[in-house]
Amino acid sequence: MPHKTIFTISDTLDYDVKQWLDSQDWSIQHFKNSQTFFEQADLTLPACVILQLNDSILRYAKLIQQLSNQNSPIIPVIIESRETLLPQKGRHVCESLNFVDLPVEIELLSQLIKSAFERAIEQQQCIEISAIYYDKFTLREFDIAQQLVNGKTVNEIAERLFLVPNTIEKYLERMRIKTNSTTLTALTKLLNKYPPSLDLPKNTHL
């Protein structure tokens, strides 16, 4: 996997941006439209995608939602004129977007891309941990994880589940192995960083 990957989706990508991107030590993949991007790009990469579609905020929002629906860690950065992106009725939607106005300030773009990479890596880790919760944890392990995050002790969890503390500790050891945590303390830190507050896993067993 490339150390850092940037995708672009635009048939008229700003010339200065393209020149700057090509001068960087990144893996750059250009796409002319979103359909080709979704068909050909590796959506599992913790990457950044630069969007310059010369269109409305609704189209950008739809593309971002599509990334979310596919559980992709890719973080978007939008290049667009302020007048196009920020219509009066849509300004509340724009507040959380990574947005660069035209003409592009390369320094600002660079900062947003750096932030996008950091968020993409964090998002990928979150996706991977969520997959463990869904695919590897049993219902009981999931319950124990939730109780740990809520500050319950081993003894309190055991009492609630009508089990002995030693049994809870065995569950915790299995959870430690499943999450590749080096210690039980590391497991607790992981659970607190990525709280198992998802819907209960579908394919689980006791």
Side-chain angles (χ1 to χ4, degrees):
M1 182 183 76
H3 176 59
K4 289 183 177 179
T5 298
I6 290 185
F7 303 108
T8 70
I9 305 178
S10 178
D11 59 358
T12 56
L13 183 64
D14 184 88
Y15 178 80
D16 290 337
V17 171
K18 188 176 187 307
Q19 290 292 104
W20 177 74
L21 287 175
D22 291 340
S23 71
Q24 303 301 304
D25 187 23
W26 295 325
S27 172
I28 312 293
Q29 298 181 37
H30 300 286
F31 297 91
K32 289 189 175 183
N33 55 68
S34 58
Q35 180 178 345
T36 305
F37 167 74
F38 282 104
E39 290 174 351
Q40 299 180 6
D42 184 350
L43 302 182
T44 66
L45 291 177
C48 169
V49 58
I50 295 176
L51 312 174
Q52 187 177 5
L53 304 176
N54 303 312
D55 210 332
S56 70
I57 188 172
L58 294 178
R59 185 178 176 192
Y60 288 110
K62 182 178 180 180
L63 194 152
I64 293 170
Q65 184 61 51
Q66 193 171 349
L67 280 172
S68 178
N69 291 343
Q70 298 203 28
N71 218 22
S72 173
I74 296 173
I75 303 297
V77 173
I78 297 172
I79 297 175
E80 187 59 85
S81 69
R82 185 169 296 275
E83 290 75 16
T84 299
L85 188 64
L86 303 177
Q88 190 66 36
K89 293 182 180 179
R91 291 191 177 182
H92 66 285
V93 182
C94 303
E95 294 176 355
S96 61
L97 297 178
N98 295 323
F99 162 61
V100 182
D101 196 5
L102 292 170
V104 175
E105 294 182 17
I106 295 298
E107 183 176 350
L108 173 59
L109 178 61
S110 177
Q111 292 173 356
L112 289 178
I113 289 174
K114 179 181 178 181
S115 175
F117 280 136
E118 293 171 352
R119 289 174 54 197
I121 291 172
E122 180 74 14
Q123 181 68 10
Q124 183 189 45
Q125 292 173 341
C126 184
I127 290 170
E128 291 174 352
I129 295 300
S130 297
I132 291 174
Y133 292 159
Y134 274 101
D135 300 332
K136 294 186 179 181
F137 274 22
T138 65
L139 288 174
R140 178 144 290 168
E141 289 167 348
F142 195 88
D143 186 16
I144 291 171
Q146 289 182 311
Q147 293 188 56
L148 279 175
V149 170
N150 290 330
K152 301 297 183 183
T153 66
V154 168
N155 288 338
E156 289 171 335
I157 295 172
E159 183 177 354
R160 175 174 175 174
L161 297 180
F162 304 102
L163 299 170
V164 297
N166 186 53
T167 300
I168 300 300
E169 289 171 354
K170 289 180 180 177
Y171 275 115
L172 290 174
E173 178 61 17
R174 294 174 194 164
M175 293 158 65
R176 181 192 69 78
I177 294 172
K178 289 178 180 181
T179 57
N180 294 317
S181 300
T182 55
T183 64
L184 291 179
T185 298
L187 170 64
T188 302
K189 288 182 179 179
L190 181 70
L191 293 173
N192 279 291
K193 185 174 182 180
Y194 302 103
S197 56
L198 314 170
D199 293 334
L200 287 177
K202 297 179 180 179
N203 299 317
T204 52
H205 55 280
L206 290 172

